[in-house]
Each structure stands twice: as C-alpha cells, then as structure tokens.
Amino acid sequence: MSASAITATDLRTFAGQFATGVAVVTTRSPEGELAGVTINAVTSLSLTPPLFLICLDHKSNTLGAVLSSGKFALHFLAKGQTEVSRVFASKSADKFAEVDHAPGENGSPILGGVLAAAECSLAEMCPGGDHAIIIGQVEKVHIHGGEPLLYHRGAYAALDERVAA
C-alpha cells in the first residue's frame, strides 16, 4: 500500500499489533480545573536531562490545560486499573470524582494505585499531525511497583509470564 492508500483503520490495526503500557496524563489549569486523559503514546526521551515524550490530540481538553499550566503528571497504570483508564479515556465532566488522587508538588493530581508517576514541567511542544508532541522535563518520580496494565489489539491485557532479557 502507498502512503496515500493508508486509512485510519489500517493505521489503528497496524499500531494495535504493538503491545503498550497504559498511561494517564493529569494537570491542573491555572484556574484550578483538573484535567486528565488516557494515552499510550509515551516514551522515555533522555536521561540527561531527564525527559519524557507524550502525544496529546489537538482536540483534548488536557492539551490546553498542560500548555497553559506548563506542568503535568504522567502515570503508568497497574494491572487492576482498567476502570481508571476508561474514566480518563471518556468525555466525563468530572473524571476525578471517583478516582483516588492528591496534589503533587507541581500541583498536578497524582493518582493512587499506579505503578509509578512522574511530575513534569513542559520543556517543548512540537507539531505532529493531529497530535501535539509534548516533551516534559521530569522533576520528581513516585515509584510504587507492581504489574502493568497493557493494551494490545484493542483490548486490555496483563503479563502472564516473564522472560529473562
């Protein structure tokens, strides 16, 4: 297939073959409004300085809040947090109403029960088609451990065995 023949469905099917972790990005706008969204477009970018890269849809309310606050928290969800993922993937008006959270040092909500969370400041934003590529400088990490929530072929999954690297 040529690039012009690739449809959104083709790309989703292709991308779905790659198992990813499930992450949630949260922030607090300068007006105090909490925002958050489920993502799987996330990767470590640099150790020195400590940078992570996330991608947010231009239509996402969370993108506007991240850009205006200049801060966000990145969370890696644990195996039992499918409902947390669904809440933050929804268009619900108050995603934080039934989700355990507390303010982090940078003001962004830190979710409870996650494998790990990082508090980040906005370092750079780059265009990326229908998404914005956000580079965040990691300022603080919260490591709790556990088993990850995964996403593969359009469904949640979990590790069933470990293979030595």
Side-chain angles (χ1 to χ4, degrees):
M1 285 187 178
S2 70
S4 61
I6 299 297
T7 66
T9 301
D10 294 334
L11 193 56
R12 277 195 185 105
T13 301
F14 170 76
Q17 303 308 302
F18 187 64
T20 66
V22 181
V24 170
V25 172
T26 61
T27 191
R28 178 182 302 274
S29 75
E31 299 76 37
E33 304 254 340
L34 301 182
V37 66
T38 299
I39 66 169
N40 65 5
V42 56
T43 191
S44 173
L45 182 61
S46 169
L47 292 175
T48 308
L51 301 175
F52 252 79
L53 180 150
I54 62 172
C55 298
L56 299 176
D57 191 306
H58 286 298
K59 297 177 200 163
S60 167
N61 294 336
T62 303
L63 174 60
V66 166
L67 295 177
S68 64
S69 72
K71 301 191 178 304
F72 63 92
L74 173 62
H75 308 81
F76 298 145
L77 298 189
K79 178 171 66 173
Q81 293 188 300
T82 56
E83 190 55 33
V84 172
S85 174
R86 286 186 180 112
V87 165
F88 284 97
S90 76
K91 298 292 183 189
S92 173
D94 188 1
K95 296 177 182 182
F96 293 87
E98 296 183 38
V99 176
D100 179 34
H101 67 283
E105 288 181 19
N106 76 3
S108 298
I110 304 297
L111 304 180
V114 298
L115 297 179
E119 296 183 56
C120 304
S121 61
L122 178 64
E124 191 173 343
M125 196 234 3
C126 308
D130 59 3
H131 281 61
I133 300 165
I134 303 293
I135 298 171
Q137 179 150 344
V138 178
E139 298 175 336
K140 181 174 179 74
V141 295
H142 309 264
I143 310 294
H144 307 293
E147 294 295 323
L149 179 61
L150 303 175
Y151 198 73
H152 183 242
R153 295 186 186 154
Y156 293 106
L159 296 174
D160 57 3
E161 67 179 84
R162 292 192 178 266
V163 178

